[in-house]
Structure formats: structure tokens, C-alpha cells
């Protein structure tokens, strides 16, 4: 009923054992109770902070903030307060409190020289969302550090990018220490390396029950899948991530994830769903959290307008992404080719010239073939030079972007009355669009192809077209031979929920067993 250090120590040992088994929720409860029974303030504060850190890992962010603040009020040791800043800063950031997170982390960095580097590296992430002048100030401080991630951060934003794999090899293998490299990988244009890193970290977080980091990592994984033209895979990752982020109370990531889902809906031409997802992604601002997905919603609506034949509206949306506080963000750079196409189609190419210049400079700096291909495509649209079209196709790109380049060149050829040459380009583009479910672009390619005098083939629905993202994810795992219990453990679901989704998926796929499921090659 009162302080008892012997019982508190036993509870602490129980909590440590729970953490070793990845039972972070149980560890939180045991550490907190141990703190309540602690005989002195210092022991109580230490155990409260351990409870807060367990809450961070398990996704109990409100508890993490509450416990960290209680711990901070019990002691005056600056080094302890630096540890509090690490835990509480991350909890605030994941809840969308960018300013609070940045202030906590940068203040904590001044309290403990041993934790300074790690806190400033972590402060970069909220600074990214705050924009200037916070981002510039943070980068100036990072430039003075002898830390591999800090060097990568500065190089990714301001210089020639370093090796992502090489940087990862220099730091701890803990997911919390590597997670920020995923986002930076996109800034550096290293999408393939980022996919490998994010996929590995997602697998590890599943295995170790680190729920708190899972929405962040699934967001990065979905980004990589989308950029590589694997739209269905991205939809699966986003569907799971939204569910986990909501359960973990992470409005920042809920907003971002819904906004990327809106981008996928725009590509598919589903206007109603795109608008609904955009509205949901922006809801966090009304609840007091910053809508982390606001930049992605501009891209989603711009893509929707472009696909639906409304280039003037698309220009307005996409041009807004090139202004502060969004201009430095990943989706701002990646949307420039869409802005150029929209501006040319709307008859106002001059409105995209500054953005194209920024994109061309970035493509040269990151030295990625796919980025150079998109830069050539932009130049082809602005100049009308056939050689630029050919250069864009020669360098190559991802399936969706490659098909769009083929479509644009095919349109150029048809206008030049070179119909026979246009047909091959348009036919290849149409085939890819149909495979990806990019309905507006498929319709445009089909119209162009028929205008050359060739009848366009009708699309064949893929085997998994009628499955929901969660049904597809579960069906894929079942096809690998995993039991319902194994699938449930991996996806943080109940075995009954897994069985229900398989029950719904089998008739849609026309199968009755896992053996037949495996043969489909989902």
C-alpha cells in the first residue's frame, strides 16, 4: 500500500523481462507501478521514464508524455532532463506537435553533451515539417556534428547525397536509430535503397512488437512502393498503417497516410474517394494537431485534376506545392513533372519554368537515372524537342512514369502525323496503365490509340482486383504457408479476423484452399 523498494525492484525486473519479450505494454504498466512503490524521488523518476519509453515503443503516446512529464518534475539533473526530452519529444512529434517536439529536442541537446548529437539528429524531423527558419537553423547545427546521420542529413538537403547503405552501416541497428534515414533516402533520390531499408525495419518491428514505429516505417515503405509503380502494394501498406496509427494515437501519420491514399485514388481516377480521403487527412488540424499530410493532399488533388482533364485547376494546386512551407518536401519535388504537364496542357508553360529549373538541378545533384528521365520529359514538354522525348525514354524510369512518358511521346508523334510510330508507344503505355489501374491515363491512351486508326484492347481485370487491401495482404501471407495464428501475430489482428478475411477473399479469387491460393502468384 506504500513505498516498498524490494517490491519495486521486483516489478522493475518483471518490466525488463517484458521488454526483452517485446511486451512493451506490460513493461509500461510494471515500470509505472514500480515507480509508485519507489522509496525515493530519484528511483521514482527513473522508473517513470522507463515506463514512458515503453509507452513510446508500444504506441501509448499519451501515457509516454504524461509519465515523462511526471519524471521531469521529480529531479533537477540536466542529463536526466535530456533523456526526458528524447522520449517526450518523439511522443509529441508522432502526435503532430511539431513545434513542441522541436523545442524539447533542441533544448535537451543543450543539457547533455553525450546526448546532443542524437537529439539534434532527431530534431531534424519536426524541423522538416516546420520549414524555415527552423529547418535551416537545425541544418546549421547538424553541419557542425561528427555524426554519420547528421552528415547524411546535411548532404541530402544541401549537397551531393552520401551512400544510404554506408551510413546505415555506421550506426546502431535499432529501428528507432535508423527510421529517419528512410525519409532522408527519398530526399536524396535513393528510392531503391530506401525500400530495402524500410522493408527490413518493418519486418523487425513486427517481430519485436515495436508498434510505435510501425506507422512511420509503413509510410516510408508505401512511398517507395508508389514511386516504383507498385500501387497495389502501396495500398496494402497504407491500409495497415492507417489502422495501426489510429490505434496508437498518431494523428501526424494518420494524416500523412490518408493523404498518400488520396494520391493513389487520384491515379485510379476515383474522384469521390480522393476527395473523401483529402478531407479526412486534413481533419487533424481541427483537432489541434498539425495536418502532416497537407502537402500530399495538394499533390492528390492536382493529380486528380490532371487526370480528369482539368489542367488549369491542376496548375493552381501543384504550383502551391512549390511555395513555403512545402517547397523542400519530397512530394513537392516529385510533383514537378505533373506541374509541367499541367501547365503545358493549360497553355501557361511559364508557370512551371521555375519549378522545372529546381527539379532539373535536383535531378543532376542526386544523379539517379529515373530522376534524369523525368527531367528530360519535362524539358521535352516545355521545348517540344523530339530529342528530349527520346532521351527521357532512353534513360528509363518506373512503370507508371515510363508509361506516361510513352503516352506523351505518342501524343507528340500523332500530332506530327506519324501515326504508325505513335501506335507502338501508345499501346505499351495503355498496357501499363491498365495493369496499374490508372484509369484516367488508360482512357487517354485508349483515345489516342484509336485516333491513330487502331482499335484499343479492353483491359483484363487482375486476379486480385476485387480484394480489399487487407484481404490481399492476408491472402498473400496465407499463400506463403503462414497459419491464421501466425498471420494474426504479424499483423496485430485476432486469428478470427484473419479467418474472416480469408473467408471473404477465397470466393473473390475462385479458390478453396491455401494450395490454390499459392498458385495464383498474388
Amino acid at each position: 500500500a506504500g513505498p516498498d523498494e524490494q517490491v519495486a525492484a521486483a516489478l522493475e525486473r518483471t518490466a525488463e523481462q517484458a521488454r526483452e519479450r517485446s511486451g512493451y505494454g506490460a513493461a509500461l504498466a510494471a515500470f509505472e507501478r514500480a515507480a509508485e512503490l519507489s522509496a525515493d524521488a530519484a528511483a521514482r523518476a527513473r522508473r517513470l521514464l522507463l515506463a514512458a519509453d515503453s509507452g513510446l515503443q508500444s504506441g501509448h503516446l499519451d501515457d509516454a508524455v504524461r509519465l515523462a512529464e511526471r519524471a521531469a518534475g521529480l529531479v533537477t539533473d540536466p542529463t536526466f532532463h535530456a533523456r526526458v526530452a528524447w522520449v517526450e519529444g518523439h511522443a509529441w512529434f508522432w502526435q503532430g506537435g511539431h513545434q513542441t517536439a522541436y523545442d524539447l529536442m533542441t533544448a535537451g541537446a543543450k543539457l547533455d553533451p553525450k546526448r546532443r548529437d542524437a537529439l539534434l539528429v532527431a530534431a531534424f524531423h519536426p524541423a522538416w515539417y516546420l520549414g524555415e527558419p527552423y529547418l535551416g537553423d537545425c541544418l546549421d547545427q547538424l553541419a557542425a556534428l561528427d555524426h554519420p546521420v547528421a552528415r547524411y542529413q546535411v548532404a541530402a538537403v544541401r549537397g551531393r547525397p552520401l551512400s544510404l547503405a554506408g551510413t546505415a552501416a555506421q550506426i546502431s541497428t535499432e529501428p528507432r536509430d535508423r527510421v529517419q534515414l528512410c525519409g532522408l533516402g527519398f530526399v536524396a533520390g535513393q528510392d531503391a535503397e530506401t525500400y530495402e531499408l524500410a522493408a527490413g525495419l518493418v519486418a523487425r518491428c513486427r517481430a519485436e512488437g515495436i508498434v510505435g514505429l510501425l506507422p512511420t516505417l509503413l509510410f516510408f515503405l508505401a512511398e517507395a512502393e508508389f514511386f516504383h509503380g507498385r500501387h497495389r502494394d502501396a495500398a496494402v501498406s497504407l491500409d495497415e498503417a492507417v489502422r495501426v496509427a489510429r490505434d496508437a494515437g498518431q494523428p501526424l501519420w494518420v494524416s500523412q497516410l490518408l493523404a498518400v491514399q488520396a494520391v493513389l485514388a487520384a491515379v485510379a481516377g476515383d474522384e469521390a474517394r480522393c476527395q473523401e480521403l483529402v478531407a479526412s487527412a486534413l481533419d487533424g488540424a481541427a483537432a489541434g494537431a498539425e495536418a502532416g499530410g497537407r502537402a500530399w493532399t495538394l499533390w492528390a488533388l492536382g493529380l486528380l485534376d490532371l487526370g480528369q482533364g482539368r489542367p488549369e485547376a491542376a496548375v493552381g494546386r501543384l504550383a502551391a506545392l512549390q511555395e513555403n512551407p512545402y517547397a523542400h518536401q519530397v512530394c513537392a519535388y516529385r510533383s514537378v513533372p505533373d506541374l509541367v504537364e499541367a501547365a503545358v496542357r493549360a497553355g501557361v508553360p511559364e508557370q512551371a519554368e521555375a519549378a522545372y529549373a529546381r527539379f532539373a538541378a535536383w535531378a543532376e545533384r542526386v544523379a539517379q537515372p529515373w530522376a534524369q528521365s523525368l527531367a528530360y520529359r519535362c524539358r521535352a514538354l516545355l521545348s517540344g524537342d523530339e530529342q528530349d522525348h527520346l532521351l527521357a525514354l532512353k534513360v528509363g524510369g518506373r512503370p507508371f512514369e515510363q508509361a506516361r512518358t510513352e503516352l506523351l511521346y505518342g501524343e507528340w508523334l500523332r500530332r506530327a502525323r506519324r501515326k504508325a510510330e505513335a501506335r507502338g508507344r501508345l499501346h505499351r503505355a495503355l498496357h501499363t496503365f491498365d495493369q496499374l489501374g490508372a484509369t484516367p491515363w488508360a482512357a487517354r491512351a485508349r483515345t489516342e490509340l484509336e485516333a491513330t486508326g487502331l482499335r484499343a484492347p479492353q483491359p483484363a481485370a487482375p486476379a486480385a482486383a476485387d480484394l480489399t487491401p487487407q484481404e490481399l495482404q492476408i491472402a498473400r501471407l496465407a499463400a506463403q504457408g503462414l497459419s491464421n495464428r501466425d498471420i494474426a501475430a504479424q499483423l496485430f489482428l485476432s486469428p478470427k479476423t484473419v479467418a474472416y478475411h480469408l473467408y471473404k477473399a477465397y470466393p473473390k479469387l475462385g479458390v478453396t484452399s491455401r494450395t490454390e491460393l499459392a498458385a495464383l502468384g498474388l
Side-chain angles (χ1 to χ4, degrees):
D4 187 320
E5 185 55 35
Q6 186 175 357
V7 176
L11 276 168
E12 183 174 350
R13 288 194 295 274
T14 297
E16 292 291 358
Q17 290 169 358
R19 283 173 66 96
E20 290 172 4
R21 298 193 305 270
S22 303
Y24 296 105
L28 185 161
F31 277 131
E32 184 175 9
R33 182 59 178 147
E36 292 170 356
L37 298 177
S38 297
D40 63 80
R44 188 176 304 116
R46 180 176 60 80
R47 287 162 178 158
L48 283 171
L49 187 55
L50 287 169
D53 186 64
S54 298
L56 192 66
Q57 299 278 37
S58 66
H60 295 86
L61 301 183
D62 287 339
D63 288 330
V65 170
R66 173 179 61 84
L67 294 165
E69 289 180 346
R70 282 183 59 194
L74 294 172
V75 295
T76 58
D77 178 18
T79 60
F80 184 83
H81 281 263
R83 291 172 57 199
V84 170
W86 171 271
V87 175
E88 191 179 355
H90 279 85
W92 274 107
F93 173 64
W94 290 347
Q95 293 180 99
H98 306 150
Q99 186 68 64
T100 303
Y102 182 78
D103 291 344
L104 283 165
M105 290 172 175
T106 51
K110 299 174 183 177
L111 299 175
D112 184 359
K114 293 181 178 179
R115 293 185 180 271
R116 179 199 60 181
D117 291 9
L119 279 162
L120 287 176
V121 164
F124 173 87
H125 213 164
W128 184 260
Y129 289 96
L130 290 170
E132 298 296 348
Y134 299 97
L135 180 59
D137 290 345
C138 188
L139 285 167
D140 288 343
Q141 295 181 71
L142 290 167
L145 304 184
D146 183 20
H147 189 284
V149 177
R151 288 194 293 271
Y152 190 87
Q153 288 169 323
V154 175
V157 179
R158 292 180 170 175
R160 188 165 292 278
L162 305 174
S163 165
L164 180 62
T167 301
Q170 297 177 55
I171 63 175
S172 161
T173 61
E174 289 298 314
R176 68 163 64 184
D177 295 329
R178 293 187 164 206
V179 60
Q180 201 175 121
L181 285 179
C182 295
L184 287 164
F186 295 125
V187 178
Q190 297 170 342
D191 296 3
E193 296 89 337
T194 302
Y195 172 81
E196 295 297 332
L197 180 61
L201 292 174
V202 165
R204 182 165 176 184
C205 285
R206 290 194 202 283
E208 298 181 8
I210 306 175
V211 181
L213 274 179
L214 202 53
T216 311
L217 291 168
L218 283 169
F219 170 76
F220 292 138
L221 182 62
E223 260 190 287
E225 289 165 338
F226 170 61
F227 292 152
H228 283 93
R230 295 163 54 181
H231 298 177
R232 191 66 168 157
D233 291 343
V236 169
S237 297
L238 292 167
D239 183 76
E240 179 188 2
V242 169
R243 174 172 52 82
V244 176
R246 281 177 169 152
D247 289 345
Q250 298 186 16
L252 166 70
W253 293 114
V254 172
S255 175
Q256 296 242 101
L257 294 159
L258 291 172
V260 182
Q261 284 185 325
V263 171
L264 289 178
V267 171
D270 190 339
E271 183 155 10
R273 176 165 168 75
C274 180
Q275 296 282 4
E276 178 186 350
L277 286 165
V278 165
S280 297
L282 298 177
D283 272 351
E290 298 173 49
R294 191 179 299 278
W296 283 87
T297 64
L298 289 171
W299 192 7
L301 293 172
L303 264 178
L304 181 69
D305 286 332
L306 181 59
Q308 298 297 327
R310 302 188 293 258
E312 295 87 355
V315 170
R317 309 232 195 233
L318 297 169
L321 266 175
Q322 305 306 313
E323 302 170 0
N324 285 329
Y326 311 120
H328 64 282
Q329 294 193 19
V330 172
C331 58
Y333 277 97
R334 303 301 174 102
S335 65
V336 168
D338 303 318
L339 171 60
V340 171
E341 182 179 341
V344 170
R345 291 174 71 84
V348 288
E350 67 280 0
Q351 293 191 25
E353 288 175 353
Y356 161 68
R358 287 181 65 239
F359 182 83
W362 176 79
E364 182 177 355
R365 182 166 65 86
V366 301
Q368 294 290 329
W370 62 264
Q372 193 60 57
S373 172
L374 292 176
Y376 284 134
R377 188 176 89 194
C378 291
R379 195 167 73 183
L381 286 168
L382 291 168
S383 69
D385 189 333
E386 182 177 11
Q387 188 60 33
D388 288 327
H389 281 291
L390 294 172
L391 286 170
L393 289 165
K394 181 179 179 180
V395 175
R398 289 81 182 280
F400 182 55
E401 296 300 345
Q402 182 78 355
R404 290 179 64 182
T405 303
E406 294 268 16
L407 171 60
L408 288 165
Y409 184 39
E411 290 175 335
W412 186 93
L413 288 169
R414 189 183 71 80
R415 289 195 300 271
R417 301 183 183 279
R418 293 158 60 181
K419 294 183 179 180
E421 295 176 67
R423 287 169 185 157
R425 303 290 183 183
L426 295 169
H427 193 276
R428 281 192 292 273
L430 175 59
H431 177 70
T432 300
F433 293 142
D434 281 340
Q435 282 189 320
L436 294 175
T439 304
W441 279 268
R444 189 166 130 197
R446 190 168 275 108
T447 299
E448 286 288 330
L449 191 56
E450 290 178 349
T452 68
L454 186 67
R455 184 175 181 181
Q458 293 303 307
D466 293 333
L467 298 185
T468 67
Q470 192 165 40
E471 287 170 354
L472 177 58
Q473 184 180 34
I474 290 171
R476 284 175 169 173
L477 293 172
Q480 295 172 19
L482 274 67
S483 68
N484 288 4
R485 186 172 295 277
D486 290 337
I487 296 170
Q490 187 169 137
L491 302 182
F492 306 105
L493 300 170
S494 71
K496 286 185 177 179
T497 300
V498 171
Y500 172 76
H501 283 300
L502 285 175
Y503 169 78
K504 298 286 285 184
Y506 277 16
K508 294 180 180 180
L509 295 170
V511 300
T512 58
S513 69
R514 274 173 160 76
T515 302
E516 294 178 10
L517 197 60
L520 292 178
L522 298 175

